[in-house]
Amino acid sequence: MCGRIAVTLPTDAMAQLFAAAPANDLPHVPNFNVCPTDPVHVVRSDGSQRSLGAMRWGFIPQWYKKPNDGPLLINARAETIAEKPAFRTACRDRRCVVLATGFYEWTKDADGNRLPWYITRSDGAPLTFAGIWQDWEGGDTRLRTCAIVTTGANTTMSAIHHRMPVLLEPEQLSLWLGEEGKGAARLMQPAPEDTLQMHRVGTAVNSNRAEGSELIVPFD
């Protein structure tokens, strides 16, 4: 679930919108086909200052000897995140917000062909996914990594998938980022029914090498 995203908001607008100090190594935008292991735009907080930085999309537990030492953890299930050894400390101490403009999901037709859908907020605002992050070191390699938290789909989203990312509203960001104390677990719920809208797009995005704004054009 949530295995491809698009980011089109300029980085200076992201920094202003989320009151975050931007890093110098932010990923290029626009990017209409951000894939797992690519860098993504992430907001985190130290309690007094928010930062906007880049993280590898694909959480690497500390016990991995190398980045591909186990499953690629791009998502973390809300229902088990607090108990899973890979995620439980990050869920408590290292929460973040992954920014996007839209994300893709797939259905299949009667012949098994993968049919992509592009999903955005109905109000046109950026998507703010609940995330967790982890620093990983192996030899001379140091990576800051993250995963997007998912939960059961609401009725709207369940038309194409049984899971959806946890979406945060502006007034919920401080609690998720640890700026307002405890209680973030209650935010890991499906979004209200009218939050998202979706449309079919062409199959070009089925390739992780595809790029360009035509990827999100509605499919006739």
Side-chain angles (χ1 to χ4, degrees), residues 47-206:
S48 60
Q49 174 67 56
R50 291 180 182 178
S51 60
L52 173 64
M55 294 189 188
R56 175 194 187 267
W57 185 14
F59 189 98
I60 306 178
Q62 291 183 331
W63 61 81
Y64 278 25
K65 301 300 183 184
K66 49 189 178 181
N68 60 353
D69 214 21
L72 180 60
L73 305 176
I74 61 171
N75 296 152
R77 294 174 65 94
E79 297 88 342
T80 57
I81 192 172
E83 289 81 38
K84 289 283 187 181
F87 300 137
R88 61 191 177 200
T89 303
C91 179
R92 184 180 66 244
D93 300 330
R94 294 188 301 278
R95 297 189 299 272
C96 62
V97 176
V98 180
L99 307 181
T101 306
F103 67 99
Y104 299 92
E105 193 49 75
W106 282 261
T107 56
K108 289 185 178 181
D109 64 16
D111 297 321
N113 298 307
R114 299 178 74 234
L115 307 177
W117 296 75
Y118 184 60
I119 302 122
T120 61
R121 283 191 62 108
S122 301
D123 60 9
L127 293 166
T128 47
F129 300 137
I132 55 173
W133 65 276
Q134 170 75 60
D135 281 338
W136 179 86
E137 295 186 16
D140 296 329
T141 302
R142 292 173 175 79
L143 296 171
R144 180 155 286 175
T145 72
C146 67
I148 293 171
V149 182
T150 67
T151 188
N154 61 21
T155 302
T156 303
M157 188 67 197
S158 65
I160 61 173
H161 202 278
H162 67 285
R163 305 285 298 173
M164 69 184 300
V166 171
L167 300 171
L168 301 171
E169 296 299 325
E171 64 274 15
Q172 297 173 327
L173 297 180
S174 292
L175 182 57
W176 183 258
L177 291 172
E179 298 167 341
E180 292 184 2
K182 299 181 179 180
R186 66 175 180 264
L187 302 178
M188 294 189 287
Q189 302 292 331
E193 295 299 332
D194 60 352
T195 303
L196 297 176
Q197 61 185 8
M198 58 197 72
H199 62 261
R200 270 287 318 280
V201 294
T203 56
V205 76
N206 290 1

